[in-house]
């Protein structure tokens, strides 16, 4: 149980284009999902908290107009990188909480999406 | 906000030896401390966690200790095996707060 998937697993795009990444909770409902970015040999940095049915909460320094987040259902959150540039190339990982498990603390991570912008 | 430091950044041990990774946190309100193992290009996997009302927790070869007064917690891996080689991240979280991750430790277990 508590499986989180991401699609695509990797994507290569041209500079200036937009890329959408999906994060799904497969066997549980997630009212809250998180989006992280991880540069090579670095730690996970929280970009934003995605709440079902409401606007996402962005961390300081993360441009909300560039990284669009939509959490339209209890099992799906999407991150759209708009007008991508080479410096946006990174490993994007989502995570979700399963509140019904009664463990408010644990987060379940998706497998990540490697974005390369040429 | 919370700040998590982690040491060492790299650690090499001989197979069968023990490995210890230490983390410190700044926010005394933090009450949940997970440890994640991440292999190259893969998702972080929770290996053990501890809550602030517990001082130590053990799961087979892995243990975590927490010193709330000093605001530090440590991961202990005994009888290390080559498959333990990975990057390990500690994290801290307060109630209603988000995870803050440490910078990671690259563990290499030499056969």
């Amino acid at each position: 149980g508590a499986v989180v998937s991401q699609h695509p697993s990797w994507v290569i795009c041209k500079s200036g284009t937009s890329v959408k990444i999906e994060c799904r909770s497969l066997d549980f409902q997630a009212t809250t999902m998180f989006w992280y970015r991880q540069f090579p040999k670095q730690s996970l940095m929280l970009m934003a908290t995605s709440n079902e049915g409401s606007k996402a909460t962005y961390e300081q320094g993360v441009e909300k107009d560039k990284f669009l987040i939509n959490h339209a259902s209890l099992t799906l959150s999407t991150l759209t990188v708009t007008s991508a540039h080479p410096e946006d190339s990174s490993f994007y990982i989502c995570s979700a909480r399963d509140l019904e498990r009664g463990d408010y603390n644990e987060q379940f991570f998706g497998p990540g999406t490697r974005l390369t912008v040429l | 906000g919370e700040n998590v430091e982690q040491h060492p950044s790299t650690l090499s041990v001989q197979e069968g030896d023990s490995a210890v990774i230490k983390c410190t946190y700044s926010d005394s309100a933090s009450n949940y401390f997970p440890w994640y193992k991440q292999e190259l290009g893969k998702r972080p996997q929770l290996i053990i966690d501890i809550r602030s009302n517990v001082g130590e927790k053990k799961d087979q070869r892995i243990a975590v200790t927490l010193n709330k007064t000093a605001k530090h917690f440590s991961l202990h891996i005994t009888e290390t095996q080559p498959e333990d080689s990975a990057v390990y991240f500690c994290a801290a979280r307060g109630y209603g707060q988000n995870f803050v991750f440490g910078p990671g430790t690259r563990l290499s277990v030499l056969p």
Side-chain angles (χ1 to χ4, degrees), chain A residues 38 43 97 103 105 109-110, chain B residues 38 43 46 51 93 98 102:
Chain A
Q38 186 177 32
S43 189
R97 285 188 193 140
D103 187 331
N105 293 307
F109 285 87
Chain B
Q38 187 180 31
R43 78 184 83 197
L46 178 69
R51 287 170 175 76
R93 182 182 180 278
N98 296 318

Side-chain angles (χ1 to χ4, degrees), chain B residues 43-87:
Chain B
R43 78 184 83 197
Q45 298 272 13
L46 178 69
I47 57 172
I48 197 167
D49 57 9
I50 192 167
R51 287 170 175 76
S52 59
N53 58 349
V54 177
E56 183 174 357
K57 184 178 178 180
K58 188 174 182 180
D59 183 3
Q60 299 183 341
R61 297 187 296 111
I62 296 173
V64 56
T65 58
L66 171 65
N67 183 326
K68 284 186 61 180
T69 303
K71 289 188 283 188
H72 66 69
F73 55 112
S74 299
L75 176 71
H76 304 253
I77 305 174
T78 59
E79 301 173 27
T80 53
Q81 302 166 4
E83 51 265 38
D84 293 330
S85 297
V87 179

Side-chain angles (χ1 to χ4, degrees), chain A residues 64-92:
Chain A
K64 62 180 181 181
D65 293 332
K66 180 172 181 61
F67 299 98
L68 302 178
I69 292 173
N70 184 283
H71 194 155
S73 77
L74 288 173
T75 59
L76 173 65
S77 176
T78 61
L79 168 68
T80 301
V81 183
T82 62
S83 187
H85 288 97
E87 56 265 32
D88 298 323
S89 298
S90 187
F91 194 50
Y92 292 85

